[in-house]
Amino acid sequence: MIVIIILLCVFSFLVIWQFVGYPSLMGLIALRWSPKKKDSSYEPYVSIIVPALNEEKVIKTRIDNLLQLDYPGEKYEIIVVDDGSADNTSQIVEELVKKHQTNSEACLKLVRARERKGKASAINLGKQHAQGDIMLVTDANSLFDRNVLKEMMPHFEDPNIGAVGGRYVVSNPENKIASSESFYWDLEYVMLRGEAALQSACFFNGSINAWRGNIIEVDIKVLSEDLEMAIQIRRAGYRIQYEPEAVANEPGATTSVDQIKQRKRTVIGTLQCMFKHRAYFLLPRDLYSLLIFPSHKGLAMVSPFTLSAIPILYIIVRDSTIIIPHLVATILAFALMFGILMLLRARLMKPEKRTGRTSMPSIFKIAHYVLLNEYIILLAWRDFLFGRHSVLWEKAESTR
């Protein structure tokens, strides 16, 4: 009986720590941290790589957006890598290349892959044609705020910074399905700010990430190439900074099918990273491998099993004098930490950057999102273990 009580306490602690405890700790750290003043005059040459597959609907808008960045045109280039599109993506880019051939604008290039190999391969191909020391990878359906390069590049003046991630913002939070994803990224914002202050951000988003091109090569076998790059950079001894003022706006999935497709791919990629770098995480040598990655990513990969373990132990013990006090204590602790987390979220986020208030209806939406996510994690484990996945693109069409 003692063993079961200990297990109940351990599993409930892990659940609380994953969902509200660790985010609250990072929020507290972020709240007390004063960012170092940046030197805005530091302007390294940047190569912006845009992997693309059948993006004729959005590629012109994306290129126009990148050409309007508040950064000297002679200090950045835009490289669109067409990974075997079957539509008019290449033709549209070619026309824009001819149109924008002035010295005052950023250089625009089109690189065509010989065959479709996936986003990671497209990034490597773009890097081969890049002139900059800093690579910035983004998606074709994202839109940057004009100040993105101005906010991100000064961080690279510090030789210890290997990468800088910007803030991903869901541009359609009014949508019923996208609203929960928007709230999820609000919490990521809180955690990434705290992690960057503590030692290093856990990861950067695939829609907006900049890194020193000479320190990593993208692994073409991994689905979550952004997370794998982040781990490589951290293992090489560099820190990953988070710049919340550099914003990439991108539509969230508006169908459950697309949401499952996106999230399952991300989870499989995370599992690949965990197994590939297992020696680094099994023998922790820094805060990133000891605390940051296990709390931010590792626990999420086993959360369906952690959550299901509690009711299973209740069934085994079948003693209301143990079950009821444990359940009440767990719910109260979770509710208290959730309240603290919401206060920290409100304090850290500027009013104009918030995606909406957390009312009771939205809490039910969040609960639905969490349960759906746990189901997706189980699906991802199944596909990962049986090798049912591919690095080739699986686009969510509702985000275009």
Side-chain angles (χ1 to χ4, degrees):
M1 192 67 70
I2 296 296
V3 173
I4 292 178
I5 293 173
I6 292 172
L7 288 174
L8 281 171
C9 292
V10 169
F11 286 128
S12 57
F13 170 78
L14 290 176
V15 169
I16 293 170
W17 178 254
Q18 175 198 337
F19 288 101
V20 288
Y22 178 73
S24 296
L25 175 61
M26 291 302 106
L28 288 169
I29 292 172
L31 201 61
R32 295 183 61 85
W33 177 56
S34 298
K36 187 171 70 173
K37 190 174 180 180
K38 295 179 292 185
D39 180 7
S40 58
S41 65
Y42 184 73
E43 297 175 334
Y45 192 88
V46 188
S47 295
I48 301 177
I49 301 173
V50 187
L53 173 70
N54 299 331
E55 299 287 7
E56 64 179 7
K57 295 179 182 178
V58 297
I59 195 64
K60 183 183 184 302
T61 302
R62 185 62 178 123
I63 291 173
D64 288 343
N65 170 252
L66 293 174
L67 287 169
Q68 294 169 12
L69 295 178
D70 182 17
Y71 202 74
E74 70 276 9
K75 291 189 176 181
Y76 76 103
E77 63 180 349
I78 303 163
I79 304 171
V80 178
V81 183
D82 187 344
D83 191 43
S85 295
D87 64 0
N88 294 318
T89 298
S90 286
Q91 291 88 329
I92 294 170
V93 177
E94 283 178 340
E95 291 174 4
L96 291 171
V97 170
K98 294 175 183 177
K99 180 180 177 182
H100 297 281
Q101 289 183 336
T102 64
N103 293 329
S104 61
E105 290 184 312
C107 176
L108 175 61
K109 302 177 183 177
L110 170 64
V111 177
R112 291 181 176 179
R114 292 182 178 178
E115 58 180 304
R116 180 184 170 195
K117 291 185 177 180
K119 184 177 179 180
S121 290
I123 294 171
N124 282 336
L125 182 58
K127 182 182 169 186
Q128 291 173 18
H129 291 80
Q131 301 297 315
D133 295 324
I134 307 298
M135 308 292 139
L136 190 154
V137 177
T138 185
D139 290 338
N141 64 323
S142 297
L143 290 176
F144 283 171
D145 285 359
R146 292 189 72 246
N147 65 335
V148 158
L149 296 181
K150 283 285 188 181
E151 296 291 347
M152 296 178 78
M153 291 308 114
H155 289 289
F156 287 103
E157 190 174 18
D158 183 347
N160 295 313
I161 299 296
V164 180
R167 185 180 174 203
Y168 174 87
V169 172
V170 175
S171 60
N172 56 339
E174 70 285 347
N175 179 271
K176 182 178 179 181
I177 293 177
S179 62
S180 297
E181 183 184 352
S182 178
F183 179 80
Y184 166 84
W185 282 106
D186 283 355
L187 298 188
E188 290 291 338
Y189 163 85
V190 172
M191 287 189 281
L192 290 168
R193 280 193 60 177
E195 291 165 355
L198 184 63
Q199 185 185 79
S200 174
C202 181
F203 70 102
F204 41 60
N205 187 275
S207 298
I208 179 167
N209 59 84
W211 33 279
R212 299 183 189 274
N214 63 336
I215 60 176
I216 59 169
E217 192 72 17
V218 187
D219 188 340
I220 63 173
K221 296 180 181 179
V222 175
L223 274 64
S224 293
E225 79 291 329
D226 47 358
L227 177 61
E228 208 280 324
M229 285 192 288
I231 298 172
Q232 279 193 57
I233 290 165
R234 192 67 198 99
R235 292 192 70 174
Y238 294 91
R239 290 171 51 214
I240 301 167
Q241 187 55 263
Y242 178 61
E243 180 47 73
E245 297 302 318
V247 176
N249 300 277
E250 187 171 310
T254 57
T255 68
S256 297
V257 172
D258 278 349
Q259 197 174 64
I260 291 172
K261 182 190 298 183
Q262 281 185 322
R263 184 60 183 148
K264 186 170 72 167
R265 183 178 178 85
T266 300
V267 174
I268 293 173
T270 303
L271 292 172
Q272 288 178 310
C273 291
M274 289 173 60
F275 280 88
K276 177 182 177 180
H277 298 279
R278 57 188 177 277
Y280 175 54
F281 295 118
L282 289 174
L283 297 172
R285 62 207 71 179
D286 52 32
L287 274 176
Y288 184 89
S289 55
L290 178 66
L291 174 70
I292 294 173
F293 186 93
S295 299
H296 197 147
K297 287 290 185 180
L299 283 177
M301 296 301 100
V302 296
S303 58
F305 312 107
T306 307
L307 285 166
S308 59
I310 295 174
I312 290 172
L313 288 172
Y314 284 166
I315 293 171
I316 293 173
V317 71
R318 288 187 296 181
D319 187 339
S320 60
T321 61
I322 294 175
I323 295 171
I324 294 175
H326 176 268
L327 183 61
V328 171
T330 300
I331 292 173
L332 289 176
F334 192 97
L336 175 63
M337 292 304 301
F338 183 78
I340 292 172
L341 179 58
M342 291 303 97
L343 289 173
L344 290 167
R345 170 181 174 251
R347 287 285 303 276
L348 286 167
M349 297 180 69
K350 296 179 181 179
E352 66 272 16
K353 297 291 186 181
R354 293 178 194 165
T355 56
R357 295 188 306 170
T358 311
S359 58
M360 285 308 296
S362 66
I363 288 176
F364 288 118
K365 290 179 187 176
I366 292 163
H368 174 267
Y369 182 81
V370 170
L371 292 174
L372 175 63
N373 193 57
E374 300 307 306
Y375 171 67
I376 293 170
I377 292 172
L378 290 174
L379 293 180
W381 268 105
R382 179 201 64 189
D383 290 355
F384 171 72
L385 292 174
F386 289 97
R388 292 162 53 176
H389 53 82
S390 170
V391 296
L392 298 182
W393 304 66
E394 287 186 60
K395 290 198 308 177
E397 290 299 333
S398 66
T399 64
R400 264 66 184 173

